[in-house]
Amino acid sequence: MPSARKLFVFDSIHRPNLKPPETAHDALPQIRSIPGADEDAGLIELLDGSLRRIIRLTGFTIPPDQRGFTAVDDMFGAILDCLSEKTSLQLLAINRPLDLGEHCENVLDLNAQGNAYLEWYADYTRKWFSRVCEQRLVPRKSFYLILGAEPSQKSSREKQIALLDRFVERVSKILSKAKQSPEVLTRAETRTLIHSCMRLSYPSGLREAPVELMRASTMPDVMVENGKQFLVVDGSRVSVQVVSSLPAKLRYGWLIDLLTMECATSLSLHCRIGDKNAVRQRAAKTPSETRRRANRMISSSDNSLIEMSFYYSIAPHVAGNDKQLKNWQTAAKDKLASRSALITPKCDQFSAWTSTLPLGIDAGGIAHVVSHTDARINWPLYGASCGLSIGLPMGFAAMSNEPVLYDHSKKPGIFAVGSEHSDLSFFNALMGVRLLTANFHVVYVEDGRNSLASLQEVLGHELVNDCQWGLPRKVALKPHAVVTIVQPQQDLSTFLEFLQDCTDVYGCVNKPTALFLPSSSEWYGGAGGARQFKKLLEEVQRLGILLCSSEVTSRLQSANRIIELLDAACDTKVILPQRTRHKRLVRQFLQHDRKSWAFEWLGMDSSRDNGVVIPCFMQTRTDYGLVRIIPSPMDFWLCMQNDDSGIEEMHKMKESLREKNPNLSLVDLARQAVYYLGVQQRDFTRS
């Protein structure tokens, strides 16, 4: 983490409170209208004549080194340069608890393969991952910039809109350059966002159109009751805290802890241009040493001063739970205190809450006047996650504990790199189990290490096409088989015909095919191998097969052409724990200096954490991050049997079960051994 920067606060300005609502229904007394058609760019018009537009962005993945924070610093500095006396800026991060129960029901096919054991396993995986997510109360974050243009007696409304549009255009270009995917919300999206921020009983990302603004100041179906300690919004108690004192030393990302709270939260940062003359006048009333320092810094600085206000709202996961609300209040206060920041003991809750809505209204708080350089450190919009919002459960983001999912529906596939064959075998087995629960037919090219040996025992002969002694014709493929194991084939045309047969046979029963290709560089590394391998990848893509390839790190340099083909063919890369001597090879493979910090976290000269959790670096086409791949207790024993650490315990469990029931078949014996060992296994997610 980069060193801290000493902060000098020139002044603190107390914002006036808003007039509290006259009735519980007057939730938005500041909105005059949101004009236009639903598909038009959203424009919020406030009672004082101010105008607002909202930009949605992706947020940065947390970069814990100087190079990563420099990129954030430069981007935020450029955005602050766009501010003027007639414009304002609000940065808003919204967290809402993420419920994966219904999602997992859709992704994990509960009628998997028409097999009772796989149906049970899919249901178990869904319930396990849903329970873990609920236990962690994992949030889903969304990020917005609310850009404003203030009214002026000398400017018409048309000129004010033109000023706002130029402001939006400049900021959007800066965000696009930083790969933040800016998107100006439409009128319908703007109304939906405001409505979902007030209706806490609704999930984030509300699809239903909200109730129209029937009159200028009201959203009729939202109840807001003002109180001294908290508000009651939509039946939920909401507490808002105002940062009254900034840390004496600022660090990049000092607000990150607030973004990983496991409850519904909103973090709002308001920015405006500071008035140097007003600061000088107020500094004259302070002790002489402080006054001289302030005047000296103001005079020597060519950059502007920035007024910044911080608001943080908390809503319990369970509505009406006062004890839970107090616990989260204390937790937020402690997190800020650990950064040497303080909150206002008492503040007007309605004014502060309104300041957390996507309206660009700054009221009831304290504006801290800081230099332009210091203001740039306060960028709060960090994603702290990796992966996609839909797909198969993989694990959790290292920084935020958010669930990381792999979208198996998007071809072409995933490419894993690890220093140890044991890590790759475990990863391949885990991915195979996940894909089976999603109704895939898995074709595994045997590399001599038999990564799916334990899976073969559990599934049994009827569900496995064991083709290690030769490729069968189409008629020989078992229609109910879910796994096919084959040997690497020197005759490419024969293997391509076999893949065509697999897609024909299992595609007829709506089973997509996944092809596991471990150690491809060993089998296609000879003369003409790259040309053959390229043809294989082209055919895999044509047939719509999901590709899962893996290589040991030491092969990255010796098989350049094969690695290049895999790199281009796979949209997701997973870097498993690395040995120190392989550090340079992996950095060259990723071809991006900004990501090099990840390998310190991966644990050089180490493998799985306690033999269970795999720390890894995951990179998709659009995102990257640090991930802890966590198997369920059943996954652990299903995938670990071919490791020395699990063989002995598995053998003892089988012997014990056989003594109790000598008539158990080999398949039932393997399944019960996995089950009972899994029941006894500790929950890895709590480590």
Side-chain angles (χ1 to χ4, degrees):
M1 183 70 72
S3 59
R5 180 185 299 173
K6 290 185 178 180
L7 173 67
F8 181 76
V9 179
F10 292 90
D11 198 5
S12 294
I13 305 170
H14 290 264
R15 298 291 190 197
N17 294 330
L18 296 174
K19 181 181 178 182
E22 295 180 359
T23 69
H25 287 291
D26 288 329
L28 293 176
Q30 301 298 313
I31 289 185
R32 175 176 292 166
S33 64
I34 304 180
D38 282 353
E39 62 274 10
D40 294 341
L43 181 67
I44 303 173
E45 185 175 356
L46 303 181
L47 285 179
D48 63 359
S50 301
L51 302 178
R52 305 285 188 264
R53 290 200 195 278
I54 302 176
I55 296 178
R56 178 169 48 220
L57 62 155
T58 57
F60 279 92
T61 300
I62 298 176
D65 70 343
Q66 184 63 53
R67 285 171 295 181
F69 283 118
T70 298
V72 180
D73 186 286
D74 293 342
M75 185 206 67
F76 193 25
I79 292 176
L80 292 176
D81 287 337
C82 298
L83 281 173
S84 68
E85 295 179 354
K86 297 180 180 179
T87 57
S88 63
L89 175 67
Q90 178 189 2
L91 296 87
L92 181 62
I94 300 174
N95 293 349
R96 293 294 181 266
L98 178 64
D99 180 11
L100 286 185
E102 182 177 352
H103 162 76
C104 287
E105 286 183 3
N106 295 330
V107 174
L108 299 173
D109 192 341
L110 299 187
N111 295 315
Q113 317 285 9
N115 177 267
Y117 181 73
L118 289 176
E119 290 174 14
W120 171 84
Y121 204 93
D123 185 54
Y124 161 78
T125 302
R126 174 186 64 83
K127 291 178 179 177
W128 171 79
F129 199 65
S130 300
R131 178 182 60 79
V132 170
C133 289
E134 183 179 0
Q135 183 180 15
R136 291 172 178 269
L137 294 178
V138 181
R140 168 177 287 172
K141 292 187 289 293
S142 53
F143 304 114
Y144 304 91
L145 294 185
I146 296 88
L147 284 66
E150 307 307 317
S152 173
Q153 295 180 351
K154 299 180 181 180
S155 299
S156 64
R157 187 174 184 276
E158 288 72 20
K159 290 183 178 180
Q160 186 183 2
I161 294 177
L163 171 66
L164 178 59
D165 289 340
R166 289 194 298 271
F167 186 23
V168 171
E169 182 180 2
R170 291 181 63 189
V171 172
S172 296
K173 288 182 178 179
I174 296 170
L175 293 172
S176 296
K177 187 177 180 181
K179 299 181 180 180
Q180 286 296 290
S181 305
E183 180 183 359
V184 179
L185 298 191
T186 65
R187 176 181 182 269
E189 291 171 332
T190 299
R191 289 172 48 247
T192 300
L193 175 62
I194 296 172
H195 195 71
S196 62
C197 286
M198 302 177 68
R199 293 299 300 269
L200 299 180
S201 59
Y202 283 16
S204 180
L206 177 69
R207 291 185 178 182
E208 297 82 2
V211 178
E212 266 288 2
L213 292 174
M214 301 303 293
R215 58 181 189 273
S217 64
T218 307
M219 270 196 173
D221 62 339
V222 179
M223 299 281 290
V224 177
E225 299 178 17
N226 199 10
K228 294 182 179 180
Q229 301 295 328
F230 54 79
L231 291 175
V232 179
V233 181
D234 189 33
S236 300
R237 285 171 168 77
V238 179
S239 172
V240 187
Q241 300 177 342
V242 178
V243 177
S244 59
S245 176
L246 295 178
K249 293 183 178 180
L250 279 181
R251 293 181 181 272
Y252 287 94
W254 69 276
L255 293 166
I256 287 175
D257 288 344
L258 297 179
L259 298 180
T260 58
M261 297 274 283
E262 298 173 348
C263 60
T265 64
S266 293
L267 174 63
S268 179
L269 168 60
H270 293 265
C271 302
R272 293 176 182 270
I273 292 293
D275 188 339
K276 290 187 177 182
N277 293 328
V279 171
R280 286 194 183 97
Q281 293 175 7
R282 284 188 287 269
K285 301 177 182 179
T286 60
S288 57
E289 181 180 350
T290 304
R291 182 174 68 249
R292 286 196 299 269
R293 184 182 179 190
N295 288 331
R296 184 170 62 252
M297 294 183 70
I298 292 174
S299 301
S300 63
S301 176
D302 295 330
N303 292 326
S304 57
L305 299 181
I306 304 295
E307 295 180 7
M308 311 190 84
S309 304
F310 300 82
Y311 302 87
Y312 186 64
S313 68
I314 304 171
H317 186 59
V318 180
N321 192 328
D322 291 345
K323 182 178 180 181
Q324 193 180 64
L325 177 60
K326 291 180 180 179
N327 289 339
W328 288 123
Q329 286 176 319
T330 302
K333 183 179 179 180
D334 292 343
K335 286 179 181 292
L336 288 171
S338 67
R339 305 291 189 186
S340 301
L342 301 177
I343 62 173
T344 305
K346 293 183 179 180
C347 64
D348 182 72
Q349 290 290 294
F350 178 75
S351 298
W353 173 72
T354 304
S355 301
T356 66
L357 297 177
L359 303 175
I361 297 175
D362 185 5
I366 299 176
H368 309 279
V369 184
V370 300
S371 69
H372 184 282
T373 302
D374 288 340
R376 294 158 67 151
I377 305 180
N378 292 282
W379 177 265
L381 308 183
Y382 291 98
S385 63
C386 174
L388 303 164
S389 59
I390 60 173
L392 297 171
M394 291 284 289
F396 294 89
M399 298 293 183
S400 66
N401 282 338
E402 292 189 17
V404 175
L405 308 171
Y406 174 65
D407 188 358
H408 56 283
S409 64
K410 293 187 176 181
K411 307 297 189 296
I414 190 167
F415 183 23
V417 176
S419 284
E420 301 296 330
H421 281 291
S422 60
D423 286 343
L424 292 173
S425 294
F426 184 90
F427 180 78
N428 285 334
L430 183 61
M431 282 298 300
V433 171
R434 289 284 184 268
L435 291 173
L436 287 179
T437 59
N439 202 32
F440 270 75
H441 179 86
V442 172
V443 176
Y444 186 83
V445 179
E446 179 56 62
D447 62 348
R449 298 174 182 88
N450 205 6
S451 300
L452 301 186
S454 56
L455 196 57
Q456 284 179 267
E457 290 186 22
V458 170
L459 293 177
H461 178 72
E462 291 299 320
L463 296 181
V464 178
N465 292 314
D466 193 347
C467 309
Q468 299 187 58
W469 307 109
L471 295 180
R473 296 181 178 274
K474 183 186 297 188
V475 293
L477 290 172
K478 303 170 187 174
H480 299 294
V482 297
V483 174
T484 298
I485 300 177
V486 300
Q487 287 286 345
Q489 300 297 313
Q490 298 296 332
D491 186 356
L492 180 62
S493 60
T494 303
F495 186 54
L496 295 182
E497 290 178 6
F498 167 73
L499 291 180
Q500 179 71 65
D501 290 344
C502 282
T503 55
D504 290 344
V505 171
Y506 299 109
C508 292
V509 288
N510 297 320
K511 291 181 183 179
T513 300
L515 174 63
F516 281 75
L517 282 177
S519 307
S520 301
S521 59
E522 295 181 11
W523 305 106
Y524 294 95
R531 185 171 60 254
Q532 281 191 318
F533 191 63
K534 182 179 179 181
K535 186 177 180 180
L536 170 61
L537 295 181
E538 291 174 349
E539 187 67 10
V540 166
Q541 185 175 9
R542 185 188 71 82
L543 294 173
I545 295 175
L546 176 66
L547 177 63
C548 299
S549 185
S550 58
E551 291 287 344
V552 290
T553 313
S554 58
R555 299 287 298 178
L556 291 181
Q557 191 172 26
S558 59
N560 286 335
R561 183 54 182 157
I562 300 297
I563 301 303
E564 288 176 3
L565 291 172
L566 285 172
D567 188 18
C570 297
D571 58 353
T572 301
K573 301 176 184 63
V574 175
I575 309 300
L576 301 175
Q578 299 296 317
R579 298 295 183 185
T580 301
R581 64 180 182 272
H582 295 149
K583 186 176 182 179
R584 180 180 58 84
L585 292 176
V586 180
R587 283 180 172 171
Q588 292 176 351
F589 170 64
L590 289 175
Q591 297 180 346
H592 204 309
D593 291 338
R594 190 177 69 173
K595 302 184 180 76
S596 61
W597 46 263
F599 306 111
E600 303 301 329
W601 180 84
L602 286 180
M604 298 302 177
D605 293 322
S606 66
S607 187
R608 290 189 294 276
D609 178 16
N610 297 324
V612 177
V613 178
I614 302 181
C616 73
F617 176 84
M618 178 179 281
Q619 176 184 339
T620 65
R621 297 291 189 197
T622 59
D623 200 5
Y624 66 92
L626 304 175
V627 179
R628 291 180 299 119
I629 295 179
I630 304 178
S632 70
M634 301 297 170
D635 292 333
F636 175 79
W637 289 105
L638 201 58
C639 302
M640 285 286 289
Q641 291 183 47
N642 42 306
D643 277 17
D644 293 339
S645 58
I647 291 177
E648 185 176 353
E649 287 189 64
M650 178 61 68
H651 179 72
K652 290 180 180 179
M653 178 58 70
K654 287 182 178 179
E655 290 297 322
S656 175
L657 291 171
R658 191 180 295 278
E659 289 178 3
K660 296 177 182 178
N661 190 348
N663 297 323
L664 281 176
S665 66
L666 293 178
V667 173
D668 289 338
L669 188 66
R671 292 178 180 180
Q672 289 195 25
V674 168
Y675 174 78
Y676 285 112
L677 286 171
V679 170
Q680 298 172 12
Q681 186 70 42
R682 66 184 177 88
D683 192 341
F684 313 129
T685 61
R686 297 176 184 175
S687 59

